[in-house]
Amino acid sequence: MRIYSIETGNFKLDGGAMFGVVPKTIWQKTNPSDSKNRISMAARSLLIEDGKRLTLIDTGLGNKQDDKFFRHYGLWGSFSLDSSLKSIGFEREDITDVFLTHLHFDHCGGAVMYNSSGLLVPSFKNAVYWVHKDHWHCANNPNIREKASFIKENIAPLKSSGQLDFIEKVEPVLTNASCGFDIILVDGHTEKQMLPVIKYKGQTIVFAGDLIPTSGHIPVPYIMSYDTRPLITLKEKSFFLNKAHENNWSLFLEHDPYNELVFLKKTDKGIRLDYSTTIKENF
């Protein structure tokens, strides 16, 4: 097995929304904002090469939305999914599996694209797309809180293509899942967000998704206003962080542009960041 960090692009989101009730005077120490109160964000995917299977975890925002849409999110930097794949010798056609932690647009926008005929089609024509069945129902019948995050053109083409497959089990930890790795299910941010657990070279790496989007979100009370069930997020984070520390897990951060792979330590204030590195540096 080999794993690779895939930078798909960078964007910005409102810092207040990203940190909820935490005052700006506190969160700006780790996540400084621009003149519009937006903090810098990554859309970082993980690629797993395991035998003949090449699995991409999340796909970033993609590029099919119009300029008006992207102006809200302050795109910056030069990263792209295609250039990141090319830099390690792969192309879209090589991907056999696309695992979507959840269907918010910044996680699955790159899963679908316009083809040369102007039709919406899966971006990875040879891949199976993995989504949790309960989350799929949630995305297709969204509550008013999440409706803007579930964009129809990111979702409908997956079903009509015949490339969609579901994870259906609902235990908190799914072992030997059909997608090829273990999964932790969390419900605070959205219904049945899936966090991949990867055993690699004697270590355990957890793709932290939107449970812990940046290193600034490691303290348990630091949660996003986007979370649909914030009290559940608090419980899930507390349990997860303690388990991660006890088992020396490293966390792969999807949205932190400056910290990719982080390790934790226990302090008198709770679990905190110990140090950060990268997949390439650590392995």
Side-chain angles (χ1 to χ4, degrees):
M1 178 191 286
R2 295 188 67 183
I3 62 175
Y4 310 87
S5 174
I6 302 294
E7 299 282 359
T8 72
N10 299 104
F11 64 110
K12 295 187 176 184
L13 284 178
D14 183 82
M18 283 299 295
F19 282 92
V21 300
V22 179
K24 181 178 180 179
T25 53
I26 296 176
W27 59 251
Q28 70 177 354
K29 295 175 183 177
T30 56
N31 298 72
S33 61
D34 65 11
S35 60
K36 295 182 179 180
N37 206 50
R38 300 176 304 182
I39 64 172
S40 296
M41 302 279 286
R44 183 181 294 115
S45 299
L46 190 65
L47 186 68
I48 305 173
E49 182 183 13
D50 192 6
K52 294 182 179 180
R53 204 168 194 175
L54 193 63
T55 302
L56 182 68
I57 300 174
D58 281 354
T59 65
L61 287 75
N63 57 13
K64 66 183 177 299
Q65 261 58 56
D66 59 23
D67 290 341
K68 182 180 178 181
F69 175 88
F70 285 120
R71 276 199 300 272
H72 290 295
Y73 300 105
L75 303 188
W76 60 280
S78 59
F79 292 126
S80 74
L81 176 58
D82 287 309
S83 63
S84 292
L85 286 174
K86 185 177 181 180
S87 71
I88 53 174
F90 295 114
E91 298 178 351
R92 290 174 184 251
E93 290 74 14
D94 299 319
I95 305 297
T96 63
D97 297 81
V98 176
F99 181 92
L100 298 172
T101 60
H102 60 297
L103 295 170
H104 289 168
F105 68 87
D106 54 320
H107 295 258
C108 73
V112 172
M113 67 180 189
Y114 285 104
N115 66 11
S116 58
S117 301
L119 299 175
L120 286 167
V121 296
S123 302
F124 306 91
K125 64 181 182 181
N126 298 320
V128 174
Y129 284 76
W130 297 95
V131 178
H132 196 282
K133 189 172 185 179
D134 291 352
H135 181 71
W136 178 264
H137 176 78
C138 172
N140 282 277
N141 301 275
N143 59 68
I144 194 169
R145 181 86 173 270
E146 286 184 280
K147 190 173 183 179
S149 294
F150 292 127
I151 300 175
K152 185 177 180 181
E153 54 262 40
N154 289 338
I155 299 172
L158 300 182
K159 182 70 171 179
S160 60
S161 72
Q163 293 175 235
L164 182 65
D165 207 340
F166 290 123
I167 304 291
E168 298 190 37
K169 294 182 179 179
V170 295
E171 294 86 352
V173 179
L174 308 182
T175 58
N176 300 314
S178 49
C179 58
F181 39 76
D182 295 348
I183 301 166
I184 295 173
L185 294 178
V186 288
D187 295 307
H189 179 62
T190 188
E191 183 77 14
K192 295 296 178 290
Q193 179 184 189
M194 301 191 291
L195 307 182
V197 181
I198 300 109
K199 309 285 180 150
Y200 186 59
K201 294 188 176 181
Q203 296 189 33
T204 299
I205 301 169
V206 182
F207 190 94
D210 276 348
L211 180 64
I212 303 175
T214 77
S215 60
H217 289 85
I218 291 175
V220 172
Y222 293 30
I223 64 174
M224 298 182 286
S225 293
Y226 300 114
D227 288 12
T228 59
R229 306 178 184 97
L231 296 181
I232 290 178
T233 298
L234 291 174
K235 292 179 180 179
E236 289 172 339
K237 276 186 71 177
S238 180
F239 175 81
F240 174 82
L241 286 167
N242 279 288
K243 191 172 183 64
H245 174 260
E246 290 169 5
N247 292 280
N248 197 33
W249 293 350
S250 56
L251 309 185
F252 184 85
L253 301 183
E254 186 167 11
H255 286 315
D256 192 321
Y258 312 113
N259 299 283
E260 177 181 303
L261 189 69
V262 301
F263 289 82
L264 306 172
K265 64 181 178 181
K266 197 162 193 176
T267 73
D268 56 359
K269 293 183 178 180
I271 305 297
R272 292 291 187 270
L273 172 68
D274 188 6
Y275 66 95
S276 68
T277 181
T278 66
I279 294 289
K280 194 170 183 178
E281 290 171 346
N282 196 66
F283 297 101

